């Protein structure tokens, strides 16, 4: 998975794991990506009791919270470079190392309208060939020969898919959008992620 490719997970010592209930499953973590993840160096005194306390209330410890289910109690990772002790995120990990490239433009304050699809060789095949966006009140279309990566978050990613003609055909037609790729799952099953954090 791509999340493993992005990560370099710093494995805690056995003593640390036992003291802070820092459970993990190595197969769900990356080892050579640009984003560093690590358990915090220190926790407050109360944190050592919360796994047991919630366990007594019937909330079990999740021993592999990065495996796809975050149900239960777990000690969270932080995105911190262990050498510099600075927060690690996408800008220094991905953008800054290649920001000097002449073929790379980072455009802020731009709003994507839709991804343009064209029929492929197969009758039901659609190929993403361009992106239409607005910047400074002007509309632009960027044609591509490779991949288009749509990463607009939980709400706007399905919105952009639907604006591009990908989704539930009934919803698309009601909005005046021609269905190009029928997928009734787009935009469905969005749920709140209930969470209580203990910071000490």
């Amino acid at each position: 998975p791509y999340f493993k490719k992005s990560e370099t997970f710093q494995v805690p010592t056995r003593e640390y794991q036992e003291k802070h209930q820092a459970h993990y499953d190595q197969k769900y973590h990356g080892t050579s990506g640009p984003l560093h993840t690590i358990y915090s160096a220190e926790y407050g005194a109360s944190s050592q009791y919360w796994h047991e306390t919630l366990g007594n209330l019937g909330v079990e410890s999740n021993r592999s919270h990065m495996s796809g289910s975050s149900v239960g109690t777990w000690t969270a990772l932080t995105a911190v470079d262990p050498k510099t002790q600075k927060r690690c995120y996408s800008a220094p990990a991905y953008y800054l190392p290649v920001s000097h490239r002449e073929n790379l433009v980072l455009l802020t304050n731009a709003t994507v309208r839709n991804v343009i699809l064209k029929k492929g060789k197969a009758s039901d095949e659609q190929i993403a060939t361009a992106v239409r966006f607005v910047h400074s009140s002007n509309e632009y279309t960027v044609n591509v020969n490779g991949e288009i990566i749509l990463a607009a978050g939980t709400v706007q990613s399905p919105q952009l898919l639907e604006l591009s003609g990908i989704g539930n055909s009934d919803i698309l037609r009601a909005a005046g959008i021609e269905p190009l790729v029928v997928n009734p799952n787009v935009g469905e099953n969005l749920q709140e992620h209930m969470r209580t954090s203990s910071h000490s």
Side-chain angles (χ1 to χ4, degrees), residues 22-68:
H23 307 299
Y24 67 94
D25 187 335
Q26 185 65 54
K27 71 182 175 189
Y28 296 110
H29 292 278
T31 57
S32 58
L35 294 170
H36 294 273
T37 57
I38 190 170
Y39 285 102
S40 294
E42 297 179 13
Y43 291 96
S46 64
S47 68
Q48 62 184 299
Y49 302 110
W50 71 289
H51 275 268
E52 182 180 354
T53 300
L54 289 170
N56 290 336
L57 295 172
V59 181
E60 296 182 7
S61 292
N62 184 335
R63 301 185 71 85
S64 182
H65 59 91
M66 297 297 286
S67 65

mmCIF file of all heavy atoms in Angstrom, residues 22-68:
data_model
loop_
_atom_site.group_PDB
_atom_site.id
_atom_site.type_symbol
_atom_site.label_atom_id
_atom_site.label_comp_id
_atom_site.label_asym_id
_atom_site.label_seq_id
_atom_site.Cartn_x
_atom_site.Cartn_y
_atom_site.Cartn_z
ATOM 1 N N ALA A 22 2.810 0.544 23.652
ATOM 2 C CA ALA A 22 3.078 0.942 22.264
ATOM 3 C C ALA A 22 3.066 -0.288 21.367
ATOM 4 O O ALA A 22 4.108 -0.794 20.954
ATOM 5 C CB ALA A 22 4.413 1.677 22.173
ATOM 6 N N HIS A 23 1.863 -0.764 21.086
ATOM 7 C CA HIS A 23 1.702 -1.971 20.277
ATOM 8 C C HIS A 23 1.710 -1.622 18.794
ATOM 9 O O HIS A 23 1.214 -0.577 18.387
ATOM 10 C CB HIS A 23 0.392 -2.670 20.629
ATOM 11 C CG HIS A 23 0.229 -2.949 22.087
ATOM 12 N ND1 HIS A 23 1.090 -3.753 22.788
ATOM 13 C CD2 HIS A 23 -0.699 -2.509 22.982
ATOM 14 C CE1 HIS A 23 0.701 -3.819 24.051
ATOM 15 N NE2 HIS A 23 -0.368 -3.065 24.196
ATOM 16 N N TYR A 24 2.222 -2.506 17.988
ATOM 17 C CA TYR A 24 2.214 -2.304 16.540
ATOM 18 C C TYR A 24 2.447 -3.645 15.863
ATOM 19 O O TYR A 24 2.887 -4.607 16.484
ATOM 20 C CB TYR A 24 3.303 -1.302 16.118
ATOM 21 C CG TYR A 24 4.697 -1.812 16.336
ATOM 22 C CD1 TYR A 24 5.399 -2.446 15.306
ATOM 23 C CD2 TYR A 24 5.317 -1.710 17.572
ATOM 24 C CE1 TYR A 24 6.671 -2.955 15.505
ATOM 25 C CE2 TYR A 24 6.578 -2.209 17.786
ATOM 26 C CZ TYR A 24 7.255 -2.829 16.754
ATOM 27 O OH TYR A 24 8.516 -3.335 16.965
ATOM 28 N N ASP A 25 2.159 -3.689 14.582
ATOM 29 C CA ASP A 25 2.436 -4.860 13.761
ATOM 30 C C ASP A 25 3.313 -4.381 12.611
ATOM 31 O O ASP A 25 2.870 -3.589 11.782
ATOM 32 C CB ASP A 25 1.131 -5.468 13.244
ATOM 33 C CG ASP A 25 1.336 -6.794 12.520
ATOM 34 O OD1 ASP A 25 2.459 -7.019 12.008
ATOM 35 O OD2 ASP A 25 0.382 -7.589 12.456
ATOM 36 N N GLN A 26 4.544 -4.839 12.570
ATOM 37 C CA GLN A 26 5.535 -4.329 11.624
ATOM 38 C C GLN A 26 5.088 -4.434 10.163
ATOM 39 O O GLN A 26 5.447 -3.593 9.345
ATOM 40 C CB GLN A 26 6.867 -5.071 11.805
ATOM 41 C CG GLN A 26 8.008 -4.544 10.963
ATOM 42 C CD GLN A 26 8.411 -3.120 11.333
ATOM 43 O OE1 GLN A 26 8.699 -2.837 12.484
ATOM 44 N NE2 GLN A 26 8.424 -2.221 10.365
ATOM 45 N N LYS A 27 4.260 -5.414 9.844
ATOM 46 C CA LYS A 27 3.868 -5.588 8.437
ATOM 47 C C LYS A 27 2.992 -4.454 7.925
ATOM 48 O O LYS A 27 2.808 -4.305 6.719
ATOM 49 C CB LYS A 27 3.186 -6.938 8.223
ATOM 50 C CG LYS A 27 1.806 -7.065 8.808
ATOM 51 C CD LYS A 27 1.259 -8.465 8.568
ATOM 52 C CE LYS A 27 -0.080 -8.655 9.255
ATOM 53 N NZ LYS A 27 -0.527 -10.033 9.208
ATOM 54 N N TYR A 28 2.456 -3.628 8.828
ATOM 55 C CA TYR A 28 1.637 -2.499 8.410
ATOM 56 C C TYR A 28 2.397 -1.171 8.432
ATOM 57 O O TYR A 28 1.801 -0.107 8.325
ATOM 58 C CB TYR A 28 0.392 -2.382 9.305
ATOM 59 C CG TYR A 28 -0.522 -3.560 9.173
ATOM 60 C CD1 TYR A 28 -0.677 -4.476 10.204
ATOM 61 C CD2 TYR A 28 -1.230 -3.780 7.992
ATOM 62 C CE1 TYR A 28 -1.520 -5.567 10.077
ATOM 63 C CE2 TYR A 28 -2.067 -4.874 7.850
ATOM 64 C CZ TYR A 28 -2.205 -5.756 8.897
ATOM 65 O OH TYR A 28 -3.031 -6.847 8.766
ATOM 66 N N HIS A 29 3.712 -1.244 8.549
ATOM 67 C CA HIS A 29 4.529 -0.031 8.607
ATOM 68 C C HIS A 29 5.632 -0.062 7.556
ATOM 69 O O HIS A 29 6.175 -1.114 7.244
ATOM 70 C CB HIS A 29 5.155 0.126 9.995
ATOM 71 C CG HIS A 29 4.149 0.411 11.062
ATOM 72 N ND1 HIS A 29 3.651 1.671 11.297
ATOM 73 C CD2 HIS A 29 3.526 -0.407 11.937
ATOM 74 C CE1 HIS A 29 2.778 1.616 12.277
ATOM 75 N NE2 HIS A 29 2.673 0.363 12.685
ATOM 76 N N GLY A 30 5.954 1.125 7.052
ATOM 77 C CA GLY A 30 7.025 1.255 6.084
ATOM 78 C C GLY A 30 8.373 1.442 6.755
ATOM 79 O O GLY A 30 8.456 1.782 7.939
ATOM 80 N N THR A 31 9.417 1.230 5.989
ATOM 81 C CA THR A 31 10.770 1.311 6.562
ATOM 82 C C THR A 31 11.705 2.258 5.806
ATOM 83 O O THR A 31 12.813 2.505 6.264
ATOM 84 C CB THR A 31 11.429 -0.089 6.576
ATOM 85 O OG1 THR A 31 11.447 -0.602 5.229
ATOM 86 C CG2 THR A 31 10.667 -1.051 7.474
ATOM 87 N N SER A 32 11.269 2.795 4.675
ATOM 88 C CA SER A 32 12.211 3.614 3.895
ATOM 89 C C SER A 32 11.552 4.823 3.220
ATOM 90 O O SER A 32 12.077 5.341 2.246
ATOM 91 C CB SER A 32 12.888 2.746 2.835
ATOM 92 O OG SER A 32 11.919 2.163 1.977
ATOM 93 N N GLY A 33 10.427 5.270 3.731
ATOM 94 C CA GLY A 33 9.741 6.417 3.138
ATOM 95 C C GLY A 33 10.240 7.741 3.689
ATOM 96 O O GLY A 33 10.977 7.787 4.678
ATOM 97 N N PRO A 34 9.826 8.849 3.097
ATOM 98 C CA PRO A 34 10.295 10.159 3.523
ATOM 99 C C PRO A 34 9.598 10.710 4.771
ATOM 100 O O PRO A 34 10.065 11.661 5.378
ATOM 101 C CB PRO A 34 10.004 11.050 2.311
ATOM 102 C CG PRO A 34 8.859 10.401 1.649
ATOM 103 C CD PRO A 34 9.033 8.919 1.867
ATOM 104 N N LEU A 35 8.462 10.118 5.175
ATOM 105 C CA LEU A 35 7.745 10.584 6.363
ATOM 106 C C LEU A 35 8.093 9.711 7.556
ATOM 107 O O LEU A 35 7.875 8.500 7.540
ATOM 108 C CB LEU A 35 6.227 10.538 6.125
ATOM 109 C CG LEU A 35 5.688 11.498 5.074
ATOM 110 C CD1 LEU A 35 4.232 11.175 4.763
ATOM 111 C CD2 LEU A 35 5.829 12.932 5.520
ATOM 112 N N HIS A 36 8.637 10.329 8.595
ATOM 113 C CA HIS A 36 9.037 9.591 9.797
ATOM 114 C C HIS A 36 7.872 9.508 10.770
ATOM 115 O O HIS A 36 7.177 10.493 11.008
ATOM 116 C CB HIS A 36 10.215 10.277 10.479
ATOM 117 C CG HIS A 36 11.458 10.253 9.669
ATOM 118 N ND1 HIS A 36 12.354 9.214 9.708
ATOM 119 C CD2 HIS A 36 11.952 11.136 8.762
ATOM 120 C CE1 HIS A 36 13.350 9.451 8.879
ATOM 121 N NE2 HIS A 36 13.119 10.616 8.286
ATOM 122 N N THR A 37 7.650 8.325 11.327
ATOM 123 C CA THR A 37 6.667 8.152 12.389
ATOM 124 C C THR A 37 7.365 7.532 13.590
ATOM 125 O O THR A 37 8.230 6.664 13.446
ATOM 126 C CB THR A 37 5.485 7.254 11.951
ATOM 127 O OG1 THR A 37 5.989 5.982 11.520
ATOM 128 C CG2 THR A 37 4.688 7.911 10.834
ATOM 129 N N ILE A 38 6.967 8.019 14.759
ATOM 130 C CA ILE A 38 7.648 7.607 15.977
ATOM 131 C C ILE A 38 6.701 7.769 17.155
ATOM 132 O O ILE A 38 5.800 8.604 17.126
ATOM 133 C CB ILE A 38 8.930 8.467 16.176
ATOM 134 C CG1 ILE A 38 9.801 7.920 17.295
ATOM 135 C CG2 ILE A 38 8.587 9.937 16.397
ATOM 136 C CD1 ILE A 38 11.167 8.583 17.363
ATOM 137 N N TYR A 39 6.879 6.949 18.165
ATOM 138 C CA TYR A 39 6.138 7.158 19.403
ATOM 139 C C TYR A 39 6.817 8.290 20.167
ATOM 140 O O TYR A 39 8.035 8.434 20.118
ATOM 141 C CB TYR A 39 6.116 5.880 20.251
ATOM 142 C CG TYR A 39 5.170 4.831 19.713
ATOM 143 C CD1 TYR A 39 5.645 3.744 18.996
ATOM 144 C CD2 TYR A 39 3.794 4.938 19.923
ATOM 145 C CE1 TYR A 39 4.771 2.778 18.499
ATOM 146 C CE2 TYR A 39 2.917 3.981 19.430
ATOM 147 C CZ TYR A 39 3.417 2.912 18.720
ATOM 148 O OH TYR A 39 2.549 1.966 18.224
ATOM 149 N N SER A 40 6.018 9.102 20.862
ATOM 150 C CA SER A 40 6.576 10.243 21.599
ATOM 151 C C SER A 40 7.638 9.788 22.583
ATOM 152 O O SER A 40 7.567 8.698 23.142
ATOM 153 C CB SER A 40 5.461 10.980 22.351
ATOM 154 O OG SER A 40 4.563 11.575 21.444
ATOM 155 N N ALA A 41 8.620 10.655 22.800
ATOM 156 C CA ALA A 41 9.717 10.319 23.711
ATOM 157 C C ALA A 41 9.237 10.226 25.145
ATOM 158 O O ALA A 41 9.729 9.411 25.929
ATOM 159 C CB ALA A 41 10.825 11.365 23.595
ATOM 160 N N GLU A 42 8.256 11.040 25.518
ATOM 161 C CA GLU A 42 7.775 11.065 26.902
ATOM 162 C C GLU A 42 6.256 11.173 26.933
ATOM 163 O O GLU A 42 5.651 11.765 26.044
ATOM 164 C CB GLU A 42 8.364 12.262 27.660
ATOM 165 C CG GLU A 42 9.870 12.218 27.800
ATOM 166 C CD GLU A 42 10.401 13.435 28.535
ATOM 167 O OE1 GLU A 42 9.598 14.164 29.140
ATOM 168 O OE2 GLU A 42 11.614 13.639 28.489
ATOM 169 N N TYR A 43 5.677 10.622 27.984
ATOM 170 C CA TYR A 43 4.246 10.751 28.242
ATOM 171 C C TYR A 43 4.080 11.136 29.699
ATOM 172 O O TYR A 43 4.936 10.852 30.535
ATOM 173 C CB TYR A 43 3.509 9.430 27.988
ATOM 174 C CG TYR A 43 3.444 9.021 26.535
ATOM 175 C CD1 TYR A 43 4.365 8.122 26.000
ATOM 176 C CD2 TYR A 43 2.459 9.527 25.698
ATOM 177 C CE1 TYR A 43 4.303 7.752 24.668
ATOM 178 C CE2 TYR A 43 2.393 9.157 24.361
ATOM 179 C CZ TYR A 43 3.319 8.272 23.856
ATOM 180 O OH TYR A 43 3.261 7.913 22.536
ATOM 181 N N GLY A 44 2.948 11.778 30.016
ATOM 182 C CA GLY A 44 2.666 12.118 31.402
ATOM 183 C C GLY A 44 2.374 10.875 32.225
ATOM 184 O O GLY A 44 2.111 9.798 31.683
ATOM 185 N N ALA A 45 2.378 11.044 33.538
ATOM 186 C CA ALA A 45 2.205 9.911 34.450
ATOM 187 C C ALA A 45 0.870 9.202 34.253
ATOM 188 O O ALA A 45 0.775 7.982 34.379
ATOM 189 C CB ALA A 45 2.342 10.392 35.891
ATOM 190 N N SER A 46 -0.178 9.960 33.915
ATOM 191 C CA SER A 46 -1.511 9.341 33.810
ATOM 192 C C SER A 46 -1.630 8.410 32.614
ATOM 193 O O SER A 46 -2.477 7.510 32.604
ATOM 194 C CB SER A 46 -2.589 10.431 33.722
ATOM 195 O OG SER A 46 -2.433 11.180 32.534
ATOM 196 N N SER A 47 -0.803 8.601 31.593
ATOM 197 C CA SER A 47 -0.969 7.808 30.368
ATOM 198 C C SER A 47 -0.720 6.324 30.578
ATOM 199 O O SER A 47 -1.257 5.499 29.848
ATOM 200 C CB SER A 47 -0.042 8.333 29.266
ATOM 201 O OG SER A 47 1.306 8.085 29.591
ATOM 202 N N GLN A 48 0.069 5.966 31.582
ATOM 203 C CA GLN A 48 0.360 4.549 31.797
ATOM 204 C C GLN A 48 -0.842 3.787 32.358
ATOM 205 O O GLN A 48 -0.842 2.561 32.379
ATOM 206 C CB GLN A 48 1.570 4.384 32.721
ATOM 207 C CG GLN A 48 1.375 4.950 34.115
ATOM 208 C CD GLN A 48 2.639 4.853 34.940
ATOM 209 O OE1 GLN A 48 3.134 3.750 35.181
ATOM 210 N NE2 GLN A 48 3.158 5.980 35.357
ATOM 211 N N TYR A 49 -1.873 4.517 32.788
ATOM 212 C CA TYR A 49 -3.032 3.854 33.386
ATOM 213 C C TYR A 49 -4.231 3.759 32.449
ATOM 214 O O TYR A 49 -5.169 3.025 32.729
ATOM 215 C CB TYR A 49 -3.471 4.599 34.656
ATOM 216 C CG TYR A 49 -2.379 4.694 35.691
ATOM 217 C CD1 TYR A 49 -1.777 5.908 35.977
ATOM 218 C CD2 TYR A 49 -1.937 3.557 36.375
ATOM 219 C CE1 TYR A 49 -0.765 6.003 36.921
ATOM 220 C CE2 TYR A 49 -0.918 3.641 37.315
ATOM 221 C CZ TYR A 49 -0.339 4.871 37.585
ATOM 222 O OH TYR A 49 0.663 4.958 38.513
ATOM 223 N N TRP A 50 -4.233 4.514 31.366
ATOM 224 C CA TRP A 50 -5.474 4.599 30.614
ATOM 225 C C TRP A 50 -5.837 3.336 29.849
ATOM 226 O O TRP A 50 -7.002 3.021 29.680
ATOM 227 C CB TRP A 50 -5.510 5.845 29.738
ATOM 228 C CG TRP A 50 -4.612 5.886 28.550
ATOM 229 C CD1 TRP A 50 -3.269 6.018 28.543
ATOM 230 C CD2 TRP A 50 -5.016 5.817 27.187
ATOM 231 N NE1 TRP A 50 -2.791 6.038 27.254
ATOM 232 C CE2 TRP A 50 -3.848 5.923 26.400
ATOM 233 C CE3 TRP A 50 -6.233 5.684 26.542
ATOM 234 C CZ2 TRP A 50 -3.869 5.879 25.017
ATOM 235 C CZ3 TRP A 50 -6.261 5.655 25.159
ATOM 236 C CH2 TRP A 50 -5.088 5.752 24.411
ATOM 237 N N HIS A 51 -4.854 2.553 29.395
ATOM 238 C CA HIS A 51 -5.184 1.285 28.727
ATOM 239 C C HIS A 51 -5.900 0.351 29.708
ATOM 240 O O HIS A 51 -6.936 -0.232 29.373
ATOM 241 C CB HIS A 51 -3.913 0.608 28.211
ATOM 242 C CG HIS A 51 -3.465 1.085 26.868
ATOM 243 N ND1 HIS A 51 -3.851 0.490 25.697
ATOM 244 C CD2 HIS A 51 -2.670 2.127 26.510
ATOM 245 C CE1 HIS A 51 -3.310 1.123 24.667
ATOM 246 N NE2 HIS A 51 -2.589 2.116 25.137
ATOM 247 N N GLU A 52 -5.343 0.238 30.900
ATOM 248 C CA GLU A 52 -5.936 -0.651 31.906
ATOM 249 C C GLU A 52 -7.299 -0.139 32.348
ATOM 250 O O GLU A 52 -8.257 -0.913 32.493
ATOM 251 C CB GLU A 52 -5.015 -0.764 33.115
ATOM 252 C CG GLU A 52 -5.531 -1.714 34.189
ATOM 253 C CD GLU A 52 -4.598 -1.815 35.387
ATOM 254 O OE1 GLU A 52 -3.492 -1.234 35.333
ATOM 255 O OE2 GLU A 52 -4.984 -2.481 36.360
ATOM 256 N N THR A 53 -7.408 1.180 32.547
ATOM 257 C CA THR A 53 -8.671 1.769 32.999
ATOM 258 C C THR A 53 -9.779 1.538 31.978
ATOM 259 O O THR A 53 -10.880 1.089 32.317
ATOM 260 C CB THR A 53 -8.507 3.283 33.241
ATOM 261 O OG1 THR A 53 -7.505 3.479 34.231
ATOM 262 C CG2 THR A 53 -9.808 3.910 33.702
ATOM 263 N N LEU A 54 -9.507 1.829 30.707
ATOM 264 C CA LEU A 54 -10.510 1.607 29.671
ATOM 265 C C LEU A 54 -10.767 0.122 29.449
ATOM 266 O O LEU A 54 -11.885 -0.284 29.129
ATOM 267 C CB LEU A 54 -10.089 2.291 28.376
ATOM 268 C CG LEU A 54 -10.163 3.821 28.429
ATOM 269 C CD1 LEU A 54 -9.500 4.441 27.214
ATOM 270 C CD2 LEU A 54 -11.593 4.292 28.556
ATOM 271 N N GLY A 55 -9.737 -0.697 29.638
ATOM 272 C CA GLY A 55 -9.927 -2.142 29.558
ATOM 273 C C GLY A 55 -10.916 -2.626 30.597
ATOM 274 O O GLY A 55 -11.743 -3.503 30.325
ATOM 275 N N ASN A 56 -10.855 -2.046 31.811
ATOM 276 C CA ASN A 56 -11.794 -2.405 32.877
ATOM 277 C C ASN A 56 -13.226 -1.994 32.535
ATOM 278 O O ASN A 56 -14.180 -2.534 33.092
ATOM 279 C CB ASN A 56 -11.375 -1.759 34.199
ATOM 280 C CG ASN A 56 -10.111 -2.392 34.762
ATOM 281 O OD1 ASN A 56 -9.789 -3.537 34.448
ATOM 282 N ND2 ASN A 56 -9.386 -1.646 35.584
ATOM 283 N N LEU A 57 -13.359 -1.038 31.625
ATOM 284 C CA LEU A 57 -14.678 -0.591 31.181
ATOM 285 C C LEU A 57 -15.138 -1.327 29.928
ATOM 286 O O LEU A 57 -16.184 -1.012 29.364
ATOM 287 C CB LEU A 57 -14.653 0.913 30.911
ATOM 288 C CG LEU A 57 -14.398 1.805 32.129
ATOM 289 C CD1 LEU A 57 -14.205 3.245 31.699
ATOM 290 C CD2 LEU A 57 -15.554 1.684 33.119
ATOM 291 N N GLY A 58 -14.335 -2.287 29.479
ATOM 292 C CA GLY A 58 -14.721 -3.099 28.326
ATOM 293 C C GLY A 58 -14.163 -2.639 26.996
ATOM 294 O O GLY A 58 -14.514 -3.187 25.951
ATOM 295 N N VAL A 59 -13.294 -1.626 27.023
ATOM 296 C CA VAL A 59 -12.679 -1.147 25.777
ATOM 297 C C VAL A 59 -11.296 -1.783 25.662
ATOM 298 O O VAL A 59 -10.387 -1.447 26.428
ATOM 299 C CB VAL A 59 -12.560 0.396 25.751
ATOM 300 C CG1 VAL A 59 -11.949 0.855 24.439
ATOM 301 C CG2 VAL A 59 -13.922 1.042 25.978
ATOM 302 N N GLU A 60 -11.135 -2.689 24.733
ATOM 303 C CA GLU A 60 -9.888 -3.439 24.621
ATOM 304 C C GLU A 60 -8.795 -2.625 23.938
ATOM 305 O O GLU A 60 -9.060 -1.735 23.131
ATOM 306 C CB GLU A 60 -10.119 -4.730 23.828
ATOM 307 C CG GLU A 60 -11.057 -5.703 24.508
ATOM 308 C CD GLU A 60 -11.214 -6.985 23.715
ATOM 309 O OE1 GLU A 60 -10.496 -7.173 22.710
ATOM 310 O OE2 GLU A 60 -12.064 -7.801 24.093
ATOM 311 N N SER A 61 -7.558 -2.968 24.237
ATOM 312 C CA SER A 61 -6.418 -2.352 23.558
ATOM 313 C C SER A 61 -6.341 -2.887 22.131
ATOM 314 O O SER A 61 -6.522 -4.071 21.901
ATOM 315 C CB SER A 61 -5.116 -2.669 24.293
ATOM 316 O OG SER A 61 -5.078 -2.020 25.544
ATOM 317 N N ASN A 62 -6.083 -1.989 21.219
ATOM 318 C CA ASN A 62 -5.917 -2.361 19.814
ATOM 319 C C ASN A 62 -4.424 -2.540 19.570
ATOM 320 O O ASN A 62 -3.675 -1.571 19.564
ATOM 321 C CB ASN A 62 -6.493 -1.268 18.908
ATOM 322 C CG ASN A 62 -6.444 -1.643 17.442
ATOM 323 O OD1 ASN A 62 -5.631 -2.448 17.019
ATOM 324 N ND2 ASN A 62 -7.310 -1.032 16.656
ATOM 325 N N ARG A 63 -3.998 -3.748 19.358
ATOM 326 C CA ARG A 63 -2.578 -4.044 19.250
ATOM 327 C C ARG A 63 -2.021 -3.808 17.845
ATOM 328 O O ARG A 63 -0.834 -4.008 17.601
ATOM 329 C CB ARG A 63 -2.304 -5.472 19.717
ATOM 330 C CG ARG A 63 -2.744 -5.715 21.162
ATOM 331 C CD ARG A 63 -2.353 -7.089 21.652
ATOM 332 N NE ARG A 63 -0.930 -7.215 21.852
ATOM 333 C CZ ARG A 63 -0.290 -6.862 22.962
ATOM 334 N NH1 ARG A 63 -0.954 -6.323 23.964
ATOM 335 N NH2 ARG A 63 1.012 -7.034 23.064
ATOM 336 N N SER A 64 -2.891 -3.386 16.929
ATOM 337 C CA SER A 64 -2.440 -3.100 15.563
ATOM 338 C C SER A 64 -3.330 -2.012 14.957
ATOM 339 O O SER A 64 -4.071 -2.250 14.018
ATOM 340 C CB SER A 64 -2.475 -4.374 14.721
ATOM 341 O OG SER A 64 -2.003 -4.108 13.416
ATOM 342 N N HIS A 65 -3.240 -0.816 15.498
ATOM 343 C CA HIS A 65 -4.156 0.254 15.111
ATOM 344 C C HIS A 65 -3.887 0.830 13.725
ATOM 345 O O HIS A 65 -4.675 1.622 13.219
ATOM 346 C CB HIS A 65 -4.137 1.389 16.148
ATOM 347 C CG HIS A 65 -2.800 2.014 16.357
ATOM 348 N ND1 HIS A 65 -2.371 3.098 15.647
ATOM 349 C CD2 HIS A 65 -1.793 1.688 17.206
ATOM 350 C CE1 HIS A 65 -1.163 3.431 16.041
ATOM 351 N NE2 HIS A 65 -0.786 2.588 16.978
ATOM 352 N N MET A 66 -2.807 0.424 13.070
ATOM 353 C CA MET A 66 -2.534 0.888 11.706
ATOM 354 C C MET A 66 -2.936 -0.159 10.658
ATOM 355 O O MET A 66 -2.634 -0.018 9.487
ATOM 356 C CB MET A 66 -1.048 1.220 11.548
ATOM 357 C CG MET A 66 -0.571 2.365 12.430
ATOM 358 S SD MET A 66 -1.366 3.934 12.065
ATOM 359 C CE MET A 66 -0.571 4.363 10.531
ATOM 360 N N SER A 67 -3.644 -1.192 11.084
ATOM 361 C CA SER A 67 -3.993 -2.287 10.172
ATOM 362 C C SER A 67 -5.310 -2.067 9.446
ATOM 363 O O SER A 67 -5.712 -2.899 8.642
ATOM 364 C CB SER A 67 -4.058 -3.600 10.955
ATOM 365 O OG SER A 67 -5.126 -3.555 11.890
ATOM 366 N N GLY A 68 -5.987 -0.962 9.731
ATOM 367 C CA GLY A 68 -7.254 -0.694 9.073
ATOM 368 C C GLY A 68 -8.394 -0.503 10.047
ATOM 369 O O GLY A 68 -9.441 0.004 9.685
#
